[in-house]
Amino acid sequence: MSCSLPSIVDSVSDDYPIDRISVSKYQKGQSIGKQASGPMARIAGSDMEVVEGRWKFAKPAEGQDSNSSARGGEYSSWTIEVNAEVPAGVKSAITSARNGYEAKLGYASNATLRICPRFERKSFSWGRAVSFLSQYQNDNTNYAPNNSMLRYEIHGLTKDGKYLRAVFGVTHPELASFGDEVRDYPVGDPADASSAMQKDKHYQLVESAPVDSFAPSLREIDCFVDGLDL
């Protein structure tokens, strides 16, 4: 069966600083992306479309190198996936999870979700969703929020039964890029409100900072995703 999902790329608005868009379509059972085989291969659970692009910045964010690449000062990479079917557990997570740690919606190749502050439920023109900030690690480290790792994720259910996952690299002017000054909390459960991670000043910063203080603005990202024709 060929992938029946209509392409959403045509609904990407010119009102946003988006460029270098690419589109990939996968049938159920196909390997996704570059890791085609082996234990880290990701297999499409349903027909799906993956749209990738870049969000250009007007100027480098504080602490960024204007000559650096994907997470650098000139642009931020983003990915939007639309799945024809909703994976097991996703619906209950979006409708009833109390926080991002309980929802367990994050995914990254060869890494696990470590922090997910700023968990919120939202309504979009195409359906309902949750959003949160995230960072992933592939070892025993657990770093405080920083401009090299921080992401903004939206996971949603469309009115006609599809599953959307959108991931945007984001930064904040009061965060540093990854380096010796970024604190590591390898011990303790970051889901615990009394943990050292949740008491960290930069964790608390991203939890409560104004949406427009991030780059890209979380408000602008929400508006961009809201306008997609799903």
Side-chain angles (χ1 to χ4, degrees), residues 135-188:
Q135 285 188 181
Y136 296 81
Q137 306 287 158
N138 61 3
D139 53 22
N140 293 326
T141 57
N142 192 15
Y143 292 106
N146 63 84
N147 280 338
S148 300
M149 299 179 178
L150 195 63
R151 301 177 176 189
Y152 178 60
E153 302 195 22
I154 298 171
H155 295 252
L157 302 172
T158 68
K159 295 173 183 177
D160 61 350
K162 296 192 289 287
Y163 166 52
L164 172 140
R165 175 178 181 254
V167 181
F168 290 74
V170 295
T171 62
H172 191 279
E174 294 184 39
L175 296 180
S177 295
F178 182 72
D180 293 340
E181 67 272 36
V182 177
R183 293 166 296 283
D184 178 18
Y185 299 102
V187 178

Side-chain angles (χ1 to χ4, degrees), residues 89-158:
V90 168
K91 183 175 181 179
S92 61
I94 291 175
T95 57
S96 61
R98 292 171 294 178
N99 54 57
Y101 300 98
E102 187 176 288
K104 298 180 180 179
L105 288 170
Y107 169 84
S109 178
N110 195 29
T112 56
L113 180 66
R114 298 299 172 85
I115 62 171
C116 41
R118 211 178 182 106
F119 183 82
E120 298 179 69
R121 283 195 167 77
K122 296 176 176 176
S123 294
F124 290 94
S125 61
W126 42 261
R128 54 184 173 169
V130 295
S131 66
F132 53 90
L133 296 172
S134 64
Q135 285 188 181
Y136 296 81
Q137 306 287 158
N138 61 3
D139 53 22
N140 293 326
T141 57
N142 192 15
Y143 292 106
N146 63 84
N147 280 338
S148 300
M149 299 179 178
L150 195 63
R151 301 177 176 189
Y152 178 60
E153 302 195 22
I154 298 171
H155 295 252
L157 302 172
T158 68

Side-chain angles (χ1 to χ4, degrees), residues 6-12 49 82 125-126 158 162 224-230:
S7 177
I8 65 171
V9 70
D10 292 336
S11 67
V12 173
E49 179 182 55
V82 181
S125 61
W126 42 261
T158 68
K162 296 192 289 287
F224 170 67
V225 172
D226 184 67
L228 297 175
D229 184 8
L230 302 177

Side-chain angles (χ1 to χ4, degrees), residues 8-9 12 21-24 49-53 78-81:
I8 65 171
V9 70
V12 173
I21 294 176
S22 65
V23 182
S24 301
E49 179 182 55
V50 180
V51 182
E52 297 176 293
W78 55 266
T79 302
I80 297 174
E81 298 179 0

Side-chain angles (χ1 to χ4, degrees), residues 174-218:
E174 294 184 39
L175 296 180
S177 295
F178 182 72
D180 293 340
E181 67 272 36
V182 177
R183 293 166 296 283
D184 178 18
Y185 299 102
V187 178
D189 182 1
D192 184 349
S194 64
S195 65
M197 174 63 82
Q198 290 209 28
K199 291 182 177 179
D200 183 89
K201 64 179 182 179
H202 287 146
Y203 189 102
Q204 294 181 358
L205 168 72
V206 300
E207 185 78 83
S208 60
V211 292
D212 289 327
S213 64
F214 292 87
S217 159
L218 305 187

Side-chain angles (χ1 to χ4, degrees), residues 26-29 43-49 82-87:
Y26 300 94
Q27 296 179 32
K28 184 175 181 177
I43 306 300
S46 67
D47 287 359
M48 65 184 295
E49 179 182 55
V82 181
N83 296 263
E85 301 172 14
V86 180

